[in-house]
Amino acid sequence: MNFNGLDSGLGEYTSPLHPGISASLDRSIEHSLDPRLDPTLLQNMELEGEGVQLDGMSVSVSESVHLVEGMYSELHTVVAEVGVPVTASHFDLQDELLWVGNHGGHATSFFGPTMERYSSFQVNAADDIRQIQSIESGVLFLNKNNLKCFTRGGLIMFDYVMDEAEDMHSLLLTDNNSVLLGGLQNHVREIDLNAVQESEKYTVELPGVTIMRQSNRFFFCGHTSGKVSLRDLRSFKLEHEFDAYSGSLSDFDVHGNLLVTCGFSNRMNGLSCDRFLMVYDLRMMRAISPLQVHVDPLFLRFIPTYTSRLAIISQSGQCQFCEPTGLASPADIFHVNTVGQLVMTFDVSSSKRALVFGDSGGCVHLWADSPEATFNAYSRETEFPMPCMVDTLPHLDWNDDLLPLSLIPVPLITESLLSDWPTANCVVTPRRAPPVDLEILRTMKKVGFIGYAPNPKTKLRNQVPYKLKEMDVEFDNYNQIPESPIGREEDTHLYMVPKKYRKVTIKYSKLGLEDFDFKHYNKTLFAGLEPHIPNAYCNCMIQVLYLLEPIRCHVQNHLCQKEFCLGCELGFLFHMLDLSRGDPCQASNFLRAFRTIPEASALGLILADSDEATGKVNLGRLIQSWNRFILTQLHQETQEQEGPQAYRSVMGSTFGSSGESVIGKLFGCEVENCSTCRCGKETVRVSSSLLFTLQYPDINTADKAIRQYEFAEVLKRSICLEQNTQAWCENCEKYQPTIQTRNIRCLPDVLVINCEVNSTKEAEFWKCQAEYELRNKMRKEDLEAIKMKENNPTEWEALCNAEGLSFYTSIEELKNIWMPNSIKMKLSKNKELEVTNWTENEGLSTSEDEENTYLYDLVVTVAHILDPRTGGSLVAHIKVGETYHQRKEGVTHKQWYLFNDFLIEPIDKCEAVQFDLSWKIPCILYYARRNLNSKYDLTIKNPIEASVLLAEASLARKQRKCHATFIPLMLNEMPQPNDLVGLDAEFVTLNQEEAELRSDGTKSTIKPSQMSVARITCVRGQGPNEGVPFIDDYISTQEQVVDYLTQYSGIKPGDLDAKISSKHLTTLKSTYLKLRFLIDVGVKFVGHGLQKDFRVINLMIPKEQVIDTVYLFHMPRKRMISLRFLAWYFLELKIQGETHDSIEDARTALQLYRKYLELTKHGMDVDEFRKILKGLYEKGRKMDWKVPESEEVQSSPKSSQFSHL
């Protein structure tokens, strides 16, 4: 690397490449050689608790930096060795390591993006490290006249020494076994790494080679004379030469067909940095238009990701990104905070996700595009030293009687131990068994001498704490039994979180969910949501959106052609919630579409199962990000053009028209952002905001107490935000401190607030304000009581003497409340905002302008429940309006409810605003304008048309060559109410079930298997084409299938792949719309086991529209009978031979229903049918419910004997 033209303070740290100018540089660098700690190094840095260690140890800057996705930002800064310039840096190509070498010959490595120190050792005592290169077995270090190889732990592998006259500067790894070494001499050496000897010496022109690169065509050699030579890969002969600069060359890089250089030009009898980068096309071997940049380039590297970006670095730490064939923009300049030091080295990781800068003060700056950036695409596992066993021994508490003595390491000896007492001195005293729980004795039933009792689950399974002392009888009393199944596995007297707020789980049995009592958790007619689906943490926010009437109507009117549209899926889910009468629903299809949105994955909203189960995720911060994402996504989706005519009603829908969005009308607020530079230039930008984030006042830790703030005051400061920041000024043409202010031009109909209580600082602020509010309310009630006593003493005395009456509101109802139930917001004519706390029952005065003054009532609070035992959960308090109560319960009133997945319970309004910060953290607030619903059209027009049943193209490429398995409905066959439709569905498994084996040998299901519908078949139930399918859709899936269940589903690998499938392949949304249309028309579905089918398809269907043959041929308290056995017994059909076929199963279910009508004479002869069922069960028990294989039975539905067919 050529360091000529840099700041003069660097001259003594590098070998002069131009002896003529080095003398003038040497006179000005004496002050830079002070090895002591330079105070300027540590400005604006927060050092770790260990302090600064000067003997080669690092000083790490632990301050975390928020990274912007898609851009490079500073992640960490560490000090390799204080005051010693960093001369070389390199990202390891095999391990997740970053190597740096300094002017003192010391090498240090750091592990991963957290920059943890991995190894540190001295490479050379006299010379600086000039280049570092990693290989499979170790790391190469180039000094002035030797090449050394060390293991990554610091053990030397070889030391190749050259002549003292050599002055090496560059190293190039040509393959795994050889390297090229170049410097300020007339030759380049090739070293064989296996033999550690020189294998070839190539002659070059003076002044030598200081930079080397390689492509698939040439070796590229950079010279201090400003030239770049292209040499043959085999013979190293000169093929071409570019004269780039008149002064000297500082750096160059090659990518594809482009060569880009930076360097110095001779001007005014000296060298000056040239701001023109020379660009060469290697196809034509000539220069193309040079690239002018806005920084003084010292280093440059290609960072090819989506484009061939260039990173240009100056010695002062400025970094500019641009395209080599485009124009450089000043907006793409970033600054490395070197605290006045100069950048000495620069490197890019092989993954292109991390950059490293080394400066003259010994600091190493790591920049990355994300906090979890990796240095290599596929790194091997890094070896770490074995920990010292002595340092890792656990602390032993000798007062613990249950401490296992096996934790004490004992040496292997042959002599007897001191603790081996003779038998004569020992008395065997067995531990007494603990007493049997009184609850077990109370519920126990005896059969002979054996007692049976249900497990009260008051103790941990397979763990019995022995009480060695009689005084410990009262310790850890487990006698309290919860009165409901909520929290039966906890010791309730040690539990802080109320039971209704704890995370609810579904207990699965052999019958799955059929015998689970959801009514115990939800006695209302509102529908809960099941929590066992991946990413179901957002259940509470789905309920929030559903219970906002304009959103509910809007998304149910929305329908588009996109396969994965969250607006459409929300509309389908809300339709299910409307139909439900207290039964829980599941958001599986919505969450399936949610997982496919790339923006959701980029924002970290898609959780792995392990993250949800272990509680590693901050759910409060996550749900606030989800809230911002869903509002933005719905706003964008409903602004787009609607889908094709087949997906719309004939009259069209005004909700989904282009450029118009109900989401924007509801939540949108026009915001004016003003940036004022100190030069006086003002820039105004207008945007739209769908929500606001609370910005809390800066609290000085030195202050003894936090002063009181009203919620309205903090809210106004958060909306009309003012902050100081660095921004680009067009007038000054550089980054300048600017004052950024935000004002709103209009008021939203629904004010959405993210609370951002993500640290103890915000929690303490919220807690202090609640205490202030409690004292104010108590003082106010005292004054009102005194005033009443003075004005009406008789009434006061009667009030005090009334039994059970107290003038004071319950203190429990006033605790932990800061935010008001209502607020008033007024926007003056000059757009100044006024925010005031308001009372819920108070309206506007007649003098106030109703157009610019809004009253908002609190309708939603979302809270994060901190529960270390379950990992925490999210709940919502929602003020349900009159329209929902009218639809669900037939009454007209408003009521607050707690929504905790499938637990729904009415609560008092004070509970919705109470936040005990020890376990209940506020996350999201919704304030709705009074009389909100009167502004919006709340009619729902079903957008699904009959045209969805008509013929459609298959996604499979090969399907057109194969015979179709169904005939679509004709216009004259369109279904009518009460028409019969035979239905069957087949499924595949996405995730296997999680179960545990109890100590008594029984199996307990922890989490059921996740199924996905793979094939849906509908057959005609009447008419001349009865039994002919009109839907036979195979459902394409983008998720990984772990089990195709071919024996039971008939689905084979490849059937769901559009590239190789020969089936009629469609999207789930397309088939879902067909079934929704059939349900809305009012047809009756006939099938076997339809309850599970509709559950996996995620459809809610009225019970009167389902005819399930599994229940038609079933006796109470008896087993369910398979379709295969029923078909053999009643229809003399043998079905489901090797695999299942949904067409065959749907036809058979229709025929069984016809047979049922025949046997019961259309419901008239019930007693006779009961006798037939008894004969069925007797036959089944005799045959063990298996169909005989050897018996010759008819296998075609056409040959079955029906009098009516």
Side-chain angles (χ1 to χ4, degrees):
M1 169 58 62
N2 181 11
F3 292 95
N4 286 284
L6 299 182
D7 189 280
S8 58
L10 299 178
E12 192 160 329
Y13 288 126
T14 59
S15 300
L17 305 184
H18 295 274
I21 64 172
S22 61
S24 62
L25 296 178
D26 290 341
R27 293 191 294 270
S28 60
I29 49 99
E30 298 293 336
H31 62 281
S32 300
L33 295 178
D34 189 359
R36 294 171 296 174
L37 178 64
D38 187 352
T40 61
L41 280 177
L42 306 179
Q43 293 179 2
N44 302 324
M45 292 188 183
E46 181 182 343
L47 301 182
E48 290 183 346
E50 289 84 6
V52 180
Q53 300 179 2
L54 299 181
D55 299 331
M57 300 301 289
S58 69
V59 181
S60 176
V61 179
S62 62
E63 182 179 355
S64 62
V65 181
H66 173 68
L67 299 186
V68 181
E69 292 294 337
M71 299 175 61
Y72 292 103
S73 302
E74 186 166 2
L75 185 60
H76 285 292
T77 297
V78 297
V79 180
E81 193 170 352
V82 178
V84 182
V86 177
T87 57
S89 61
H90 173 68
F91 285 102
D92 201 306
L93 300 178
Q94 282 77 28
D95 292 49
E96 286 291 308
L97 295 176
L98 167 62
W99 292 91
V100 295
N102 63 18
H103 185 75
H106 197 86
T108 308
S109 64
F110 302 93
F111 176 73
T114 56
M115 298 287 281
E116 299 177 7
R117 185 179 291 270
Y118 179 77
S119 61
S120 181
F121 47 87
Q122 192 72 24
V123 174
N124 195 297
D127 295 325
D128 58 336
I129 298 175
R130 301 190 173 182
Q131 194 163 343
I132 306 173
Q133 178 65 52
S134 62
I135 57 176
E136 187 75 21
S137 57
V139 184
L140 301 174
F141 297 92
L142 181 66
N143 300 100
K144 179 181 178 182
N145 52 19
N146 68 339
L147 174 69
K148 292 187 178 183
C149 181
F150 286 79
T151 65
R152 287 171 173 80
L155 299 177
I156 190 166
M157 298 174 65
F158 67 78
D159 183 3
Y160 180 76
V161 182
M162 293 166 276
D163 296 337
E164 293 186 1
E166 301 282 335
D167 190 2
M168 292 297 174
H169 279 268
S170 61
L171 178 152
L172 179 64
L173 185 67
T174 57
D175 54 43
N176 293 331
N177 301 319
S178 62
V179 293
L180 293 177
L181 305 180
L184 299 180
Q185 53 273 336
N186 63 347
H187 57 262
V188 171
R189 297 174 182 265
E190 183 177 7
I191 307 298
D192 186 340
L193 297 179
N194 292 332
V196 194
Q197 62 183 9
E198 181 181 304
S199 59
E200 198 73 43
K201 180 185 278 189
Y202 303 108
T203 303
V204 296
E205 296 181 358
L206 287 174
V209 176
T210 55
I211 310 172
M212 286 191 289
R213 303 275 189 267
Q214 182 181 359
S215 72
N216 57 355
R217 295 175 58 193
F218 301 106
F219 286 124
F220 296 84
C221 301
H223 309 272
T224 56
S225 59
K227 296 181 180 181
V228 179
S229 60
L230 283 62
R231 298 181 176 271
D232 185 82
L233 291 175
R234 295 183 178 180
S235 61
F236 210 73
K237 292 183 179 179
L238 181 65
E239 298 287 341
H240 202 85
E241 192 173 58
F242 298 119
D243 194 353
Y245 296 98
S246 60
S248 180
L249 185 72
S250 61
D251 200 1
F252 72 88
D253 201 8
V254 182
H255 175 66
N257 296 312
L258 292 179
L259 166 67
V260 183
T261 65
C262 63
F264 304 93
S265 300
N266 287 316
R267 296 175 187 170
M268 304 293 293
N269 297 325
L271 292 179
S272 63
C273 191
D274 199 325
R275 289 200 174 187
F276 283 92
L277 305 182
M278 302 303 296
V279 184
Y280 297 92
D281 191 330
L282 300 179
R283 293 169 295 185
M284 300 179 289
M285 290 297 177
R286 65 178 181 84
I288 58 177
S289 299
L291 177 64
Q292 185 178 11
V293 295
H294 302 83
V295 301
D296 295 332
L298 176 64
F299 303 98
L300 63 84
R301 289 287 190 282
F302 276 102
I303 308 181
T305 51
Y306 301 106
T307 59
S308 301
R309 282 189 303 172
L310 266 176
I312 302 103
I313 317 299
S314 72
Q315 68 171 11
S316 60
Q318 290 176 313
C319 176
Q320 182 169 11
F321 294 92
C322 63
E323 294 291 332
T325 57
L327 295 177
S329 171
D332 296 328
I333 297 179
F334 304 93
H335 191 77
V336 182
N337 186 17
T338 58
V339 200
Q341 304 297 324
L342 304 181
V343 175
M344 300 286 290
T345 179
F346 167 66
D347 196 23
V348 182
S349 68
S350 63
S351 65
K352 313 302 179 187
R353 299 188 60 188
L355 315 177
V356 64
F357 305 86
D359 63 29
S360 58
C363 288
V364 182
H365 309 268
L366 180 67
W367 283 42
D369 62 356
S370 71
E372 297 82 18
T374 55
F375 298 160
N376 303 304
Y378 301 100
S379 296
R380 66 186 181 189
E381 186 176 356
T382 304
E383 295 183 3
F384 289 91
M386 293 295 292
C388 178
M389 294 301 296
V390 177
D391 296 336
T392 58
L393 287 177
H395 174 70
L396 301 181
D397 185 6
W398 297 108
N399 297 319
D400 187 358
D401 296 318
L402 299 178
L403 184 74
L405 298 180
S406 59
L407 293 176
I408 306 173
V410 179
L412 182 63
I413 58 175
T414 56
E415 303 174 0
S416 61
L417 298 175
L418 185 62
S419 59
D420 291 339
W421 287 7
T423 309
N425 297 342
C426 300
V427 178
V428 178
T429 306
R431 286 178 174 175
R432 291 184 304 163
V436 180
D437 196 322
L438 295 177
E439 179 67 14
I440 295 178
L441 296 175
R442 187 179 66 82
T443 59
M444 185 171 62
K445 296 179 180 179
K446 291 185 178 180
V447 179
F449 60 90
I450 300 176
Y452 297 90
N455 184 4
K457 297 183 179 179
T458 56
K459 296 181 174 64
L460 297 176
R461 180 178 296 141
N462 299 330
Q463 295 185 26
V464 179
Y466 284 92
K467 300 176 177 60
L468 301 181
K469 301 176 182 178
E470 295 298 327
M471 61 183 297
D472 290 339
V473 173
E474 298 299 325
F475 173 75
D476 203 7
N477 184 14
Y478 286 91
N479 291 332
Q480 299 183 8
I481 305 298
E483 65 272 18
S484 75
I486 306 175
R488 279 187 176 168
E489 296 183 358
E490 298 91 21
D491 40 343
T492 55
H493 67 294
L494 299 176
Y495 221 75
M496 182 191 307
V497 182
K499 277 179 270 188
K500 61 185 176 183
Y501 283 95
R502 300 177 200 171
K503 189 174 184 177
V504 291
T505 55
I506 300 175
K507 306 296 182 184
Y508 297 92
S509 66
K510 292 181 180 179
L511 301 177
L513 295 177
E514 292 183 14
D515 59 345
F516 186 78
D517 185 15
F518 286 105
K519 293 295 183 184
H520 178 85
Y521 299 88
N522 177 18
K523 294 180 172 59
T524 71
L525 294 179
F526 299 104
L529 291 171
E530 296 179 14
H532 65 272
I533 312 168
N535 298 290
Y537 66 87
C538 59
N539 279 349
C540 60
M541 278 305 302
I542 293 175
Q543 296 279 18
V544 168
L545 298 175
Y546 169 67
L547 293 169
L548 283 175
E549 190 79 3
I551 296 183
R552 181 186 73 89
C553 300
H554 170 53
V555 297
Q556 289 197 60
N557 282 296
H558 170 75
L559 191 60
C560 67
Q561 194 182 10
K562 287 173 58 179
E563 179 182 359
F564 299 110
C565 171
L566 295 188
C568 294
E569 296 297 343
L570 267 185
F572 301 151
L573 179 57
F574 289 175
H575 179 76
M576 293 172 57
L577 295 174
D578 278 345
L579 292 179
S580 174
R581 303 292 293 174
D583 296 323
C585 301
Q586 53 180 355
S588 55
N589 286 359
F590 170 77
L591 294 175
R592 178 176 182 259
F594 172 64
R595 291 193 294 270
T596 64
I597 305 297
E599 291 84 354
S601 179
L603 292 171
L605 302 179
I606 311 297
L607 297 185
D609 291 345
S610 58
D611 294 335
E612 289 189 84
T614 56
K616 295 180 181 178
V617 181
N618 186 337
L619 291 177
R621 184 175 299 171
L622 186 70
I623 199 64
Q624 293 176 78
S625 301
W626 193 93
N627 182 36
R628 184 186 303 274
F629 162 77
I630 196 66
L631 294 181
T632 305
Q633 189 74 14
L634 291 178
H635 178 57
Q636 293 173 354
E637 288 178 349
T638 52
Q639 272 187 322
E640 297 172 357
Q641 292 287 348
E642 292 184 345
Q645 190 66 24
Y647 282 3
R648 300 202 304 257
S649 60
V650 177
M651 300 301 294
S653 172
T654 58
F655 287 96
S657 58
S658 179
E660 191 175 3
S661 165
V662 172
I663 304 298
K665 291 180 182 178
L666 267 174
F667 305 101
C669 181
E670 196 173 340
V671 176
E672 181 183 278
N673 297 283
C674 179
S675 299
T676 306
C677 179
R678 60 184 180 182
C679 69
K681 180 176 177 57
E682 185 175 286
T683 305
V684 178
R685 181 169 50 88
V686 178
S687 60
S688 179
S689 177
L690 297 175
L691 56 81
F692 296 97
T693 301
L694 282 186
Q695 304 287 336
Y696 299 98
D698 293 331
I699 302 171
N700 189 359
T701 55
D703 295 341
K704 295 182 179 180
I706 303 172
R707 79 171 184 87
Q708 183 178 359
Y709 291 88
E710 279 197 348
F711 180 83
E713 181 182 356
V714 176
L715 179 59
K716 179 183 176 181
R717 291 177 54 165
S718 304
I719 296 175
C720 302
L721 190 61
E722 181 175 331
Q723 57 185 1
N724 296 322
T725 185
Q726 290 279 345
W728 178 263
C729 177
E730 296 288 347
N731 191 27
C732 303
E733 295 186 348
K734 61 180 179 179
Y735 284 92
Q736 290 279 44
T738 59
I739 301 175
Q740 295 187 350
T741 57
R742 182 175 69 189
N743 294 295
I744 60 173
R745 293 184 173 182
C746 61
L747 296 173
D749 287 340
V750 178
L751 180 64
V752 183
I753 303 169
N754 278 354
C755 295
E756 286 291 334
V757 184
N758 295 326
S759 67
T760 55
K761 185 178 179 182
E762 287 94 0
E764 186 64 28
F765 175 82
W766 194 285
K767 183 178 179 181
C768 289
Q769 301 309 315
E771 292 174 355
Y772 281 127
E773 194 70 20
L774 176 62
R775 286 199 291 266
N776 291 342
K777 288 180 180 178
M778 296 296 295
R779 193 181 303 115
K780 182 179 178 181
E781 289 204 358
D782 286 339
L783 293 175
E784 290 180 356
I786 294 172
K787 185 177 179 181
M788 182 176 179
K789 183 177 180 180
E790 292 176 352
N791 296 339
N792 302 295
T794 306
E795 185 177 348
W796 167 261
E797 185 177 356
L799 182 65
C800 291
N801 292 334
E803 184 178 358
L805 276 179
S806 173
F807 182 80
Y808 292 98
T809 307
S810 171
I811 296 181
E812 294 300 322
E813 294 182 3
L814 300 178
K815 279 185 177 180
N816 303 314
I817 297 177
W818 178 42
M819 59 186 183
N821 284 300
S822 300
I823 56 175
K824 183 181 81 170
M825 298 180 68
K826 181 178 181 181
L827 201 61
S828 63
K829 294 182 179 179
N830 55 356
K831 302 302 179 184
E832 291 185 1
L833 179 65
E834 297 179 9
V835 184
T836 312
N837 286 2
W838 208 250
T839 56
E840 194 173 4
N841 300 322
E842 187 178 357
L844 290 174
S845 62
T846 56
S847 60
E848 289 182 294
D849 183 10
E850 294 188 0
E851 290 185 2
N852 296 322
T853 305
Y854 287 3
L855 289 183
Y856 293 92
D857 292 324
L858 183 68
V859 293
V860 170
T861 61
V862 177
H864 178 203
I865 306 303
L866 302 179
D867 192 348
R869 302 198 174 195
T870 61
S873 59
L874 294 164
V875 300
H877 311 93
I878 305 176
K879 187 178 183 181
V880 180
E882 297 176 354
T883 55
Y884 290 93
H885 283 102
Q886 181 67 34
R887 277 200 321 276
K888 292 284 186 181
E889 300 180 349
V891 295
T892 305
H893 76 288
K894 298 178 180 178
Q895 172 65 46
W896 281 94
Y897 288 88
L898 169 68
F899 287 83
N900 182 9
D901 290 330
F902 55 83
L903 185 150
I904 302 175
E905 186 175 315
I907 58 173
D908 191 74
K909 66 177 182 180
C910 65
E911 193 172 337
V913 293
Q914 284 181 318
F915 291 97
D916 184 349
L917 275 297
S918 60
W919 61 272
K920 186 180 179 184
I921 307 297
C923 298
I924 300 170
L925 312 176
Y926 274 53
Y927 281 92
R929 183 183 176 185
R930 286 188 186 173
N931 304 319
L932 171 68
N933 294 347
S934 60
K935 290 186 57 181
Y936 294 89
D937 182 9
L938 302 182
T939 58
I940 298 177
K941 303 172 184 177
N942 192 345
I944 305 175
E945 274 192 343
S947 53
V948 298
L949 294 177
L950 302 179
E952 64 175 347
S954 171
L955 299 178
R957 299 175 182 175
K958 297 182 179 180
Q959 195 268 338
R960 288 170 289 182
K961 303 177 183 179
C962 299
H963 179 66
T965 58
F966 68 99
I967 301 175
L969 290 175
M970 306 301 291
L971 291 176
N972 58 353
E973 293 183 298
M974 284 300 159
Q976 302 299 322
N978 296 321
D979 280 358
L980 296 181
V981 172
L983 175 70
D984 191 64
E986 306 294 350
F987 309 101
V988 293
T989 302
L990 301 182
N991 288 322
Q992 299 287 5
E993 82 169 12
E994 298 176 15
E996 65 176 358
L997 197 63
R998 296 193 181 104
S999 57
D1000 58 359
T1002 59
K1003 188 178 77 168
S1004 172
T1005 301
I1006 301 173
K1007 189 175 182 180
S1009 59
Q1010 185 186 354
M1011 311 289 288
S1012 177
V1013 62
R1015 183 184 182 187
I1016 296 177
T1017 301
C1018 292
V1019 302
R1020 296 166 173 86
Q1022 58 276 312
N1025 293 326
E1026 179 179 344
V1028 177
F1030 63 92
I1031 296 175
D1032 187 25
D1033 292 347
Y1034 285 76
I1035 310 302
S1036 173
T1037 179
Q1038 295 184 357
E1039 298 181 284
Q1040 184 178 3
V1041 178
V1042 299
D1043 191 352
Y1044 284 91
L1045 304 173
T1046 304
Q1047 181 182 355
Y1048 307 103
S1049 67
I1051 306 297
K1052 299 178 182 178
D1055 285 351
L1056 308 182
D1057 189 343
K1059 296 179 181 179
I1060 61 176
S1061 176
S1062 61
K1063 311 297 182 181
H1064 184 264
L1065 204 61
T1066 66
T1067 63
L1068 176 61
K1069 182 177 180 180
S1070 172
T1071 308
Y1072 190 96
L1073 288 173
K1074 299 174 187 178
L1075 296 179
R1076 259 293 304 275
F1077 176 78
L1078 294 174
I1079 294 172
D1080 296 342
V1081 166
V1083 304
K1084 291 185 177 180
F1085 292 95
V1086 182
H1088 194 81
L1090 290 180
Q1091 182 177 0
K1092 178 184 178 182
D1093 292 358
F1094 286 124
R1095 176 179 172 81
V1096 177
I1097 298 171
N1098 203 13
L1099 271 171
M1100 180 71 69
I1101 180 170
K1103 294 181 179 179
E1104 59 270 14
Q1105 289 182 239
V1106 178
I1107 301 173
D1108 199 335
T1109 55
V1110 79
Y1111 295 108
L1112 293 182
F1113 299 94
H1114 175 251
M1115 293 184 68
R1117 295 181 297 278
K1118 301 287 185 180
R1119 62 166 289 165
M1120 301 293 183
I1121 305 176
S1122 68
L1123 181 65
R1124 174 179 168 84
F1125 192 85
L1126 289 174
W1128 172 79
Y1129 186 83
F1130 286 109
L1131 305 177
E1132 297 182 354
L1133 289 176
K1134 185 177 180 182
I1135 64 171
Q1136 300 174 355
E1138 295 181 359
T1139 61
H1140 289 218
D1141 181 20
S1142 58
I1143 296 179
E1144 182 183 52
D1145 292 352
R1147 283 175 181 160
T1148 306
L1150 268 175
Q1151 294 178 18
L1152 277 174
Y1153 177 58
R1154 300 290 189 193
K1155 188 68 174 179
Y1156 168 80
L1157 294 178
E1158 176 190 327
L1159 295 175
T1160 61
K1161 297 180 181 179
H1162 297 274
M1164 299 299 292
D1165 197 349
V1166 179
D1167 294 334
E1168 187 65 27
F1169 182 67
R1170 188 176 291 112
K1171 294 179 182 178
I1172 295 174
L1173 286 184
K1174 287 182 179 178
L1176 167 67
Y1177 275 89
E1178 290 176 4
K1179 185 70 171 177
R1181 281 192 292 270
K1182 290 179 181 178
M1183 304 189 63
D1184 199 18
W1185 301 104
K1186 294 180 180 179
V1187 175
E1189 298 293 338
S1190 59
E1191 183 181 353
E1192 293 185 3
V1193 295
Q1194 302 185 28
S1195 59
S1196 173
K1198 295 181 181 180
S1199 63
S1200 56
Q1201 303 297 320
F1202 289 119
S1203 61
H1204 59 281
L1205 291 179

